[in-house]
Amino acid sequence: MGSRVTIRDVAAVAEVSPATVSRVLNADERVAPELRERVLAAVERLGYRPNSQARSLRTQATRVIGLIISDIQNPFFTSLVRGVEDAAQASGYSVVLANSDEDLGKEQQYLRVAAAEQMAGVILSPASSSRTRIGELVHEEIPVVTIDRRIAADVDSVAVDNVAGARQAVEHLLQTGARRVGVIAGPEDVSTAADRLEGYRAALRAAGLAVDPELIVRGDFRIDGGHRAAARLLDRPDRPDALFAANNLMLIGTLDAMAERGLTAPADLLLAGFDEMSWAGFAPPLTLVEQPTYEIGRLATQMLLRRIAGGTAAAEHVVLEATLKVRASSDLVRRAV
Amino acid sequence: MGSRVTIRDVAAVAEVSPATVSRVLNADERVAPELRERVLAAVERLGYRPNSQARSLRTQATRVIGLIISDIQNPFFTSLVRGVEDAAQASGYSVVLANSDEDLGKEQQYLRVAAAEQMAGVILSPASSSRTRIGELVHEEIPVVTIDRRIAADVDSVAVDNVAGARQAVEHLLQTGARRVGVIAGPEDVSTAADRLEGYRAALRAAGLAVDPELIVRGDFRIDGGHRAAARLLDRPDRPDALFAANNLMLIGTLDAMAERGLTAPADLLLAGFDEMSWAGFAPPLTLVEQPTYEIGRLATQMLLRRIAGGTAAAEHVVLEATLKVRASSDLVRRAV
DNA sequence: GCTGGGCGAGAAATCGATTTCAGAAATCGA
DNA sequence: TCGATTTCTGAAATCGATTTCTCGCCCAGC
């Protein structure tokens, strides 16, 4: 019947009271060295492991942080998860992972679970910037840090400078010779999508080019949506001479659509995307705006832990840099690279 | 200060005892309809949510199942996770997800967490068939179901018939005209890898061909390993005329290695792999042995829930079918498909 | 009319830890 | 030497639920 060994058993073996055992285990200094020894020996001998339910019932605090991701399948999140786990573990916290799958309903449910389980804190990549509701967590006073995307509520966030990243990519396309750059943008209510679109516009304006609304098509940050959006752009009589996909999965959809039409980059058009695609295997190598994903996870966790420890300052918004990696898909000269 | 509303508050408002509130909430029949009404109204009005720590401390049972995956980044697991979540949720359980990253140390740590948190059960895709240790869970009498891979211990498992799947793929390659089929096999201590290699051998034997050990190279089920293994095969003076990669990530590595050498399938050699690759975007479309991933997750969860409910029969091993999907990468005739 | 059985509801025990409180022993200062 | 602190330890309260125990009441049966 499992976790049979309780603190009383340890106390009995060590011939002390349960209170003393608890003190020893919680690094309370004022315990005689001799008793401490006896307790530790008993713990060792019995293989005692404190019952975490009982502990957190009493202390009203768990050492678990929730990590709610909008799309686990997206490799962007994988190394981010590692950053979170490493930082959390270093402070003795464990991480539970959930996949909202860009679904507001699922997201809501996980947020409820986090509140019900009284998790110490939550790191969230919100499915929507305007419709995600963290009310339950706020009510339970559970701190929240958003990653990758911001939300309306006043909480900490960690993200990259999406405007600058997208702008760099589009400016690069223009410098390489593109004149009509199509963009496969993300969903309207995701801040990341809005920012990247803004970067696209900024690049055009800086180059003195008009923003043609016909060249802006929205996808859903997933493969299918990217495929449909790219198809619409590619089937225009005046086909764009470059495409910028606002995230990695939509870039895959774009590659699909191009393959169907027998088009290749950079020969037929230039191509750039956002977010890592370490699955590799793509020909040609793709020009991408890359994010420091591990770092995002690590920083977000540290901010969260500070909040948990009791920081009550105003919400902090950390903005990291995204860097453009030019590769063959957008580079006529270095095509062979 | 969060979850302030306790069962006593509800009891006070409804003017009954806490015991009665508990009975109403746990569907105990013998409560007068009138009191039941009052209790439900009070619960509603106060927004009462039972404290799950307190509950599971008393009942000695959580409604959480752990899902420990060997590589989250592998899309194979994504729809499997969905299958688990759907089935768990239908029975009122929540799922916590962990990524062992094919690392025995991490795996061990998560297993320990599962034991410490007294999870109701664990679904595990073990990092190793021989070195994974589930002793702690067994000790706590926490049921375990392994997926995708088997382990030495006597626990339930759900997997596909990897031998038959691999055999089908290799037989297909032979029928399409291949004579020297190279295989990029998986790690020695993973049952899945051993089975698929066995299927490869069986196909050759059935065709009356000798098994050339030079054509068998081991990878690590990851992109890099697949890349190195494929490179070794491709650089041989007597290059194989077909390759079978034992999982999806190694197939990507194989594609990389081929691209570096200017080789394409099916023109230069035939190509087949194992596991879905729904990221698509690959040219040519790939011949793959596909698994019913969602179903694996769903079935594993149902088995686990039966164990949790108290089934004590002998370990059950469910074997599903994997089906070969022939696509252009191995099909000279239907190359245009 | 009295007893016994059944049922519904509250009081209290319980789960396993932490923490407060109080008392005994040790230390210190005068 | 004695009283006043301080230090250490154990007894008991506590966290918030569930569950056992107990009691009062009602009704049926003899």
Side-chain angles (χ1 to χ4, degrees), chain A residues 7 22 48 51 58:
Chain A
I7 199 171
S22 173
Y48 169 68
N51 178 316
R58 178 66 234 240

Side-chain angles (χ1 to χ4, degrees), chain B residues 9 35 44 77 94 100 131 154 168 178 224 226 251 293 317:
Chain B
D9 301 327
L35 295 193
E44 178 69 23
F77 286 114
S94 52
S100 74
R131 306 206 311 285
D154 184 42
Q168 267 185 72
D224 278 357
L251 180 53
T293 47
H317 299 281

Side-chain angles (χ1 to χ4, degrees), chain B residues 239-264:
Chain B
R239 200 175 68 205
D241 54 8
L243 287 181
F244 171 57
N247 89 332
N248 48 9
L249 298 184
M250 293 197 304
L251 180 53
I252 293 187
T254 302
L255 287 167
D256 284 350
M258 287 174 59
E260 285 169 10
R261 290 162 180 74
L263 301 172
T264 60

Side-chain angles (χ1 to χ4, degrees), chain B:
Chain B
M1 267 279 238
S3 195
R4 258 292 147 72
V5 184
T6 76
I7 200 172
R8 314 194 83 84
D9 301 327
V10 175
V13 169
E15 297 182 302
V16 299
S17 74
T20 300
V21 176
S22 174
R23 283 193 265 260
V24 170
L25 266 46
N26 291 283
D28 188 323
E29 292 308 322
R30 42 196 200 152
V31 174
E34 190 206 326
L35 295 193
R36 176 183 304 278
E37 280 310 310
R38 292 219 305 266
V39 168
L40 291 177
V43 165
E44 178 69 23
R45 184 148 78 80
L46 299 177
Y48 169 68
R49 298 192 144 284
N51 178 316
S52 61
Q53 265 100 258
R55 163 179 287 168
S56 55
L57 174 58
R58 178 65 234 239
T59 61
Q60 303 289 54
T62 62
R63 292 181 80 78
V64 173
I65 77 183
L67 175 54
I68 304 175
I69 289 296
S70 52
D71 183 1
I72 278 198
Q73 190 148 0
N74 190 329
F76 164 72
F77 286 114
T78 309
S79 79
L80 189 148
V81 169
R82 265 177 222 141
V84 171
E85 282 180 337
D86 289 353
Q89 204 180 318
S91 299
Y93 281 74
S94 52
V95 176
V96 317
L97 192 54
N99 176 23
S100 74
D101 223 3
E102 304 278 9
D103 178 319
L104 275 165
K106 280 193 182 186
E107 176 181 270
Q108 191 60 45
Q109 196 207 320
Y110 287 126
L111 289 171
R112 224 180 339 249
V113 170
E117 298 283 333
Q118 312 214 85
M119 291 181 183
V122 169
I123 297 177
L124 171 71
S125 109
S128 159
S129 290
S130 59
R131 306 206 311 285
T132 288
R133 295 273 167 268
I134 60 166
E136 302 227 24
L137 297 183
V138 173
H139 181 254
E140 304 279 339
E141 296 193 351
I142 296 175
V144 176
V145 174
T146 68
I147 47 177
D148 187 47
R149 309 164 177 185
R150 298 183 310 273
I151 56 175
D154 184 42
V155 297
D156 293 333
S157 70
V158 181
V160 296
D161 187 339
N162 286 290
V163 178
R167 178 173 172 161
Q168 267 185 72
V170 176
E171 282 179 344
H172 157 74
L173 292 173
L174 295 172
Q175 280 161 17
T176 312
R179 278 295 151 263
R180 293 174 45 72
V181 180
V183 60
I184 292 124
E188 210 136 5
D189 63 344
V190 176
S191 69
T192 312
D195 290 351
R196 292 177 191 171
L197 185 53
E198 179 51 33
Y200 164 83
R201 292 207 178 93
L204 293 190
R205 278 197 303 268
L209 295 172
V211 175
D212 180 354
E214 296 282 310
L215 293 183
I216 301 175
V217 182
R218 286 203 184 269
D220 56 1
F221 270 170
R222 320 202 71 152
I223 293 175
D224 278 357
H227 184 281
R228 280 191 299 273
R232 275 182 48 197
L233 287 169
L234 293 174
D235 290 341
R236 295 178 61 84
D238 51 347
R239 200 175 68 205
D241 54 8
L243 287 181
F244 171 57
N247 89 332
N248 48 9
L249 298 184
M250 293 197 304
L251 180 53
I252 293 187
T254 302
L255 287 167
D256 284 350
M258 287 174 59
E260 285 169 10
R261 290 162 180 74
L263 301 172
T264 60
D268 302 304
L269 45 75
L270 305 180
L271 200 57
F274 214 111
D275 295 343
E276 225 188 315
M277 301 176 72
S278 50
W279 334 312
F282 295 99
L286 301 166
T287 292
L288 298 171
V289 181
E290 295 183 353
Q291 308 192 36
T293 47
Y294 182 91
E295 197 60 15
I296 293 176
R298 207 176 57 80
L299 280 174
T301 308
Q302 289 175 347
M303 288 170 69
L304 186 68
L305 290 173
R306 276 204 298 279
R307 285 274 171 214
I308 292 171
T312 37
E316 214 178 319
H317 299 281
V318 172
V319 176
L320 301 175
E321 216 177 311
T323 55
L324 179 68
K325 292 278 170 65
V326 175
R327 300 202 186 83
S329 74
S330 70
D331 193 333
L332 292 166
V333 179
R334 289 196 277 167
R335 192 168 176 177
V337 172

Side-chain angles (χ1 to χ4, degrees), chain A residues 321-335:
Chain A
E321 215 177 310
T323 56
L324 178 68
K325 292 280 171 64
V326 175
R327 301 202 186 83
S329 72
S330 70
D331 194 334
L332 291 166
V333 179
R334 288 197 277 168
R335 193 168 174 175

